[in-house]
Amino acid sequence: PSTLAVGGAGVVPLAPSFDTVGAFGATAADAALLAAGYAPAALGLPGTAPTAPRMVLLRHALPVAPHAEAAVQALGARLQAAGVPLRHAPAPVPLAEVAALHRVVLLAEVGRTHARLPPELLDPGLAADIATGQAIPAAEYLAALAALARLRGRFWAGFAPGEMLLLPAAPDVAPNDGTTGDPSFVIPLTALCGPVATLRAGLHQGLPLGALLTMAPGQDAALAGFLLGATGTELEL
């Protein structure tokens, strides 16, 4: 869902500016239906398919392996062949800058949220993040929040209302080491606050490649409706 569109009651907080309960499913449509079960009615889920969805393939938003980029381009071609208008465009603002500001906000909030946890009982990485966050001055934290808001406004102003953005889910294949993988593409989209869906984009050497679909904040019903509209078609997102 859109960032902060779903409350985190009952969930241990991490960074209150970003914490949002998402959903996993065998398909993106399954995840949209699951989210509809717990999301507030104001989001309008599961949503209805837009009458004329338009897609924007973001090019060179962040460094990505050639085979990952090719898989997303192939998915874009499938969407276009299915009748979805598609154009290519660069990101209106540097996503690396968005991610860097997100990191400042996240660390500052982690440090303040979990300041009382005994570090000797924590995972070393989390303990280090809490200590780093506690050292971030309030003025720097507030400046990062304000800068994120400005970049968010500039980013979404670069697209027409109702456009969906398509980009890689990660710079390479999913890892096989038990981790959740490289979040460098997901993080800036979280900071940009729109609803996000992860899609299958193909395989490379037996490991999956993913793509992301996102829309402007509050467009959850439109994105969910598009995913559900693809169910049972040749797209099957």
Side-chain angles (χ1 to χ4, degrees), residues 179-195:
T179 69
T180 55
D182 189 322
S184 56
F185 281 82
V186 174
I187 284 173
L189 295 192
T190 298
L192 293 170
C193 292

Side-chain angles (χ1 to χ4, degrees), residues 212-227:
L212 297 175
L213 270 185
T214 186
M215 295 185 74
Q219 294 296 304
D220 302 68
L223 179 55
F226 175 72
L227 299 173

Side-chain angles (χ1 to χ4, degrees), residues 122-215:
L122 300 177
D123 172 85
L126 177 58
D129 284 348
I130 291 173
T132 300
Q134 289 173 330
I136 294 174
E140 182 180 348
Y141 164 62
L142 294 174
L145 279 174
L148 267 183
R150 290 192 296 270
L151 288 176
R152 190 180 303 125
R154 286 171 50 197
F155 182 88
W156 292 114
F159 303 102
E163 285 191 318
M164 300 180 189
L165 312 185
L166 174 65
L167 65 162
D172 210 328
V173 295
N176 59 3
D177 59 2
T179 69
T180 55
D182 189 322
S184 56
F185 281 82
V186 174
I187 284 173
L189 295 192
T190 298
L192 293 170
C193 292
V196 184
T198 305
L199 315 175
R200 303 165 178 168
L203 295 171
H204 178 71
Q205 297 180 350
L207 291 172
L209 294 158
L212 297 175
L213 270 185
T214 186
M215 295 185 74

Side-chain angles (χ1 to χ4, degrees), residues 1-7 15 17-22 190:
S2 292
T3 302
L4 301 184
V6 176
S17 288
F18 306 120
D19 292 347
T20 306
V21 180
T190 298

Side-chain angles (χ1 to χ4, degrees), residues 11-33:
V11 179
V12 175
L14 182 70
S17 288
F18 306 120
D19 292 347
T20 306
V21 180
F24 289 96
T27 67
D30 288 343
L33 287 170

